[in-house]
């Protein structure tokens, strides 16, 4: 939208179809600013949830999508909790994120997601490296008293429980793999982890990419079926 | 979701404890601890799925610790840590660190020196900003890390 156009906005000329699925399409906002008061990040970079809602209500969706605001917000939901009109502001934020050209998504979010879609994990970590890291950490646990028998069951068909792995736990935080593994061992759990598509994050949630989320969730379901597992532990 | 069962981290830990599959020692940590409700497990899950996980983590904390307090406000009225929604990976670090100031004020006010949290984003955010807000020695623990630390095993 050009600045020239933005000056000519009138309520009669709003393009309504684009926002038809959004609950604020009929301009429900009372401008009460309860959302602004509740928002922990209001004021940063001039962000304010009410401004986002006003931009949308006035049809300036592109301006909102091009701004940094949808990415400064963490979609924590304080605003929608307090909104007297029930406007689902975090949902608006996520849809605005989805409107960004994928090469304009900030930070490493899109790179990580593209890696995940291409290789099954955000790091693009090859299977043999993944298995090596898991077995290395398992060997460390086995050196601790009471865990001498510990091994990591990878791709165990018919196991009772499937877990996923947050990519940082096989990258910079490998010690944090040990907590759950020790609990499983002490509980006598019959658990496993898949060597393919083990990623526990789904960054399509952050980038507004529903299709990517479907793909990531579908792969976990495939692992459940392939390995004939009874119970899935939701990713942490 | 009838094809197989799904459990959350809370459900599974509670199951292990209630079924007697693991035993926990409540005396291992003496200092004051506190708990942070992640937005997505709490307020947003309540809105989207009709159930926020508020009671479950607190019950687990009671099995592990004798000395912990809630932040104020908490549960559905908690304040976001500032690390959620992909903020740790968006590159807007200055904004993210400033965002966390109110959460850190809450922790200061509680007097706690250990923060227990069941979310990777919150965990990363606390460790990233604690020194900046004068709590360099704050111990940040995953909920399941606390459980593992309290295991009576062998």
């Amino acid at each position: 939208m050009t600045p020239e156009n933005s000056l000519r906005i009138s309520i009669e000329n709003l393009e309504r179809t684009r926002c038809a699925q959004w609950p604020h399409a009929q301009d429900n906002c009372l401008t009460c600013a309860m959302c602004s008061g509740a928002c922990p990040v209001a004021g940063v970079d001039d962000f304010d949830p009410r401004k986002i809602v006003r931009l949308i209500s006035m049809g300036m969706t592109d301006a909102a999508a091009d701004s940094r605001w949808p990415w400064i917000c963490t979609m924590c939901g304080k605003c929608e909790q307090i909104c007297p009109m029930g406007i689902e502001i975090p949902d608006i934020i996520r849809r605005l994120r989805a409107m960004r050209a994928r090469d304009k998504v900030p930070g490493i979010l899109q790179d990580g997601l593209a890696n995940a879609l291409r290789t099954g994990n955000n790091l693009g970590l090859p299977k043999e490296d993944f298995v090596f890291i898991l077995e290395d950490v398992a060997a460390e646990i086995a050196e601790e008293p009471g865990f001498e028998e510990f091994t990591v069951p990878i791709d165990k068909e018919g196991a009772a429980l499937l877990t996923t792995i947050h990519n940082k736990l096989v990258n910079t935080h490998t010690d944090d793999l040990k907590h759950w593994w020790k609990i499983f061992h002490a509980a006598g759990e019959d658990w496993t982890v898949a060597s393919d598509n083990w990623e526990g994050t789904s960054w399509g949630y952050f980038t507004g990419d529903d299709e990517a989320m479907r793909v990531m969730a579908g792969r976990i379901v495939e692992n459940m079926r392939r390995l004939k597992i009874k119970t899935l532990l939701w990713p942490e | 979701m009838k094809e197989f069962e799904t459990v959350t981290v809370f459900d599974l830990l509670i199951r292990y404890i209630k079924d007697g599959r693991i035993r926990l020692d409540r005396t291992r940590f003496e200092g004051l601890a506190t708990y942070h409700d992640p937005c997505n497990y709490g307020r947003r899950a309540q809105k989207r799925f009709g159930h926020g996980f508020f009671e479950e983590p607190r019950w687990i904390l009671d099995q592990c610790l004798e000395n912990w307090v809630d932040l104020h406000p908490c549960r559905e009225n908690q304040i976001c840590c500032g690390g959620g929604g992909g903020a740790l990976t968006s590159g807007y670090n200055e904004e993210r660190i400033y965002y966390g100031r109110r959460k850190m004020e809450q922790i200061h006010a509680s007097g706690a020196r250990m923060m227990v949290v069941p979310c990777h984003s919150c965990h990363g955010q606390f460790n990233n900003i604690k020194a900046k807000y004068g709590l360099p020695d704050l111990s940040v623990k995953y909920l399941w890390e606390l459980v593992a630390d309290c295991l009576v095993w062998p």
Side-chain angles (χ1 to χ4, degrees):
Chain A
M1 175 172 298
T2 64
E4 194 183 323
N5 284 341
S6 67
L7 297 174
R8 293 189 195 145
I9 286 171
S10 69
I11 199 80
E12 291 76 24
N13 296 331
L14 288 185
E15 204 278 272
R16 294 190 181 281
T17 54
R18 177 175 222 173
C19 299
Q21 58 188 325
W22 294 7
H24 54 277
Q26 302 304 315
D27 193 11
N28 287 334
C29 173
L30 303 175
T31 71
C32 70
M34 296 277 274
C35 56
S36 314
C39 175
V41 75
V44 175
D45 279 354
D46 285 333
F47 173 70
D48 177 336
R50 182 172 65 158
K51 286 186 190 170
I52 290 272
V53 175
R54 297 316 299 158
L55 280 174
I56 306 302
S57 298
M58 291 189 294
M60 298 171 70
T61 316
D62 290 339
D66 289 343
S67 76
R68 302 172 73 180
W69 294 342
W71 308 90
I72 302 296
C73 162
T74 61
M75 304 185 283
C76 81
K78 289 285 276 189
C79 50
E80 72 175 352
Q81 180 195 36
I82 205 80
C83 176
M85 295 305 287
I87 300 176
E88 293 171 334
I89 303 172
D91 185 50
I92 295 174
I93 294 285
R94 194 167 170 274
R95 286 168 190 272
L96 289 172
R97 289 186 179 195
M99 288 174 62
R100 271 283 178 100
R102 295 297 87 181
D103 61 349
K104 298 282 196 302
V105 169
I108 60 169
L109 282 169
Q110 187 58 28
D111 286 346
L113 181 57
N115 273 343
L117 294 173
R118 186 170 52 83
T119 70
N121 69 83
N122 289 23
L123 306 170
L125 188 68
K127 181 173 178 162
E128 56 272 24
D129 293 356
F130 175 72
V131 171
F132 177 84
I133 292 166
L134 295 195
E135 291 181 341
D136 196 44
V137 172
E140 286 181 17
I141 293 180
E143 288 172 10
E144 296 185 37
F147 293 93
E148 291 83 358
E149 305 296 310
F150 185 86
T151 56
V152 54
I154 301 171
D155 291 327
K156 184 181 177 191
E157 200 172 302
L161 185 79
L162 179 75
T163 67
T164 57
I165 305 276
H166 187 301
N167 59 78
K168 77 179 176 186
L169 302 190
V170 286
N171 187 11
T172 49
H173 293 73
T174 51
D175 271 352
D176 286 329
L177 283 168
K178 296 177 181 174
H179 317 308
W180 269 116
W181 292 7
K182 287 181 178 176
I183 294 170
F184 291 151
H185 190 71
E189 183 62 85
D190 178 18
W191 65 287
T192 192
V193 55
S195 61
D196 287 305
N197 296 325
W198 44 263
E199 178 62 66
T201 74
S202 188
W203 282 2
Y205 180 61
F206 299 149
T207 68
D209 189 339
D210 291 341
E211 183 52 33
M213 289 186 76
R214 252 190 296 278
V215 169
M216 296 302 288
R219 288 172 177 174
I220 294 174
V221 173
E222 275 172 33
N223 277 335
M224 291 294 290
R225 288 175 179 160
R226 178 173 63 86
L227 296 170
K228 303 181 178 63
I229 313 288
K230 296 176 207 69
T231 302
L232 171 68
L233 178 60
W234 286 108
E236 299 150 5
Chain B
M1 284 308 201
K2 297 293 176 203
E3 188 179 326
F4 49 81
E5 180 197 35
T6 59
V7 290
T8 66
V9 293
F10 307 110
D11 300 325
L12 192 60
L13 291 172
I14 290 171
R15 189 183 294 179
Y16 289 157
I17 299 167
K18 287 200 169 167
D19 290 353
R21 290 172 69 176
I22 58 175
R23 285 195 302 127
L24 302 173
D25 179 354
R26 292 177 80 218
T27 64
R28 290 192 187 163
F29 293 97
E30 289 178 355
L32 187 64
T34 190
Y35 175 75
H36 167 64
D37 290 285
C39 307
N40 281 296
Y41 274 134
R43 179 169 53 239
R44 301 217 66 206
Q46 189 172 47
K47 161 111 182 152
R48 279 174 176 253
F49 309 119
H51 179 78
F53 290 88
F54 300 118
E55 297 304 331
E56 294 88 343
R58 287 172 170 78
W59 185 85
I60 295 166
L61 280 171
D62 281 339
Q63 313 312 307
C64 299
L65 300 172
E66 290 177 345
N67 196 16
W68 73 274
V69 291
D70 259 317
L71 299 175
H72 179 79
C74 63
R75 298 176 185 250
E76 64 268 34
N77 297 317
Q78 60 73 277
I79 297 168
C80 174
C81 70
L88 282 162
T89 44
S90 70
Y92 295 139
N93 293 324
E94 206 177 314
E95 290 85 349
R96 169 178 56 77
I97 293 165
Y98 183 69
Y99 192 137
R101 74 200 180 283
R102 291 175 65 184
K103 191 83 238 172
M104 295 311 289
E105 284 165 12
Q106 280 186 297
I107 300 170
H108 266 291
S110 75
R113 291 298 173 263
M114 177 160 73
M115 161 56 74
V116 183
V117 67
C119 167
H120 283 287
S121 294
C122 307
H123 188 276
Q125 168 77 341
F126 287 132
N127 273 328
N128 188 271
I129 68 173
K130 63 186 184 183
K132 154 100 182 167
Y133 290 100
L135 289 173
D137 299 326
L138 182 72
S139 165
V140 184
K141 267 193 195 300
Y142 294 109
L143 182 64
W144 44 92
E145 178 181 2
L146 176 66
V147 171
D149 284 350
C150 294
L151 276 177
V152 179
W153 181 268

